[in-house]
Amino acid sequence: MRDLEPGETLVMATHNAGKLREIEMLVAPYGMSVVSAGTLGLPEPDETGSTFEENAALKARAAALASGLPALADDSGLAVDALDGDPGVYSARWAGPDKDFAAAMGAIETKLQALGATQPAQRKAHFVAVLALAFPEGDCDLFRGEVHGALVYPPRGANGFGYDPMFVPEGGERTFGEMSANEKHAMSHRARAFAGFAKARLPK
Ligand code: IMP
């Protein structure tokens, strides 16, 4: 396993616009040249794994092999304690083919109400992000980050993406949907996974 070099091109193996925007912001200070899987016209592999780690690795490996370049993939999701960790690795799928996150947040709320989970302590949840760095030669490295908090309903705020408007991080009052990108990056699961990746593999 080698480090990435300054100016080297890194493929962002994601077709999710929200994730892409965040990872590009996080990589920006390191002087890497970044290209997205979408720009290269790479296909989106099926996420057949049952863990964030498996899915991150399969996306990064597919992009590295198809492009001949090192590739960084993110697999992430929201795990709700009272729902035994659902939607978890299926967080994108709960929004359906139309990517309707208002409906996905509504579905979580319906389940929480059915369980009588009205108090913050009964509505605990955490975001997980696993970043996988894969090289065309086959090496693959994984980095995990989490942020814990509680869910509110109705959703609040128009920033971020996915389940952000429903999630209030521990110790805070505003949802990720109400925070600026920099405020979210100061504590998010993705920024924490990225910090591990940057320390291990990015040029110092
Ligand atoms: P996947 O990693 O492509 O399977 O999709 C992960 C899904 O989890 C996204 O489509 C979002 O719905 C959700 N998710 C992951 N990270 C975040 C985040 O930072 N904010 C809100 N939702 C997220």
Side-chain angles (χ1 to χ4, degrees), residues 109-181:
E109 184 61 20
T110 300
K111 287 177 189 283
L112 288 175
Q113 291 297 333
L115 294 170
T118 52
Q119 300 306 310
Q122 301 168 299
R123 300 172 61 89
K124 287 186 180 160
H126 58 279
F127 276 120
V128 178
V130 173
L131 290 176
L133 172 69
F135 289 94
E137 299 77 27
D139 282 338
C140 185
D141 223 358
L142 296 167
F143 305 91
R144 186 183 179 101
E146 296 188 3
V147 58
H148 290 247
L151 300 180
V152 295
Y153 203 84
R156 301 195 316 245
N159 298 336
F161 66 98
Y163 299 90
D164 278 342
M166 208 184 176
F167 182 83
V168 177
E170 248 166 30
E173 286 180 1
R174 286 176 304 145
T175 68
F176 272 178
E178 294 173 304
M179 292 185 189
S180 68

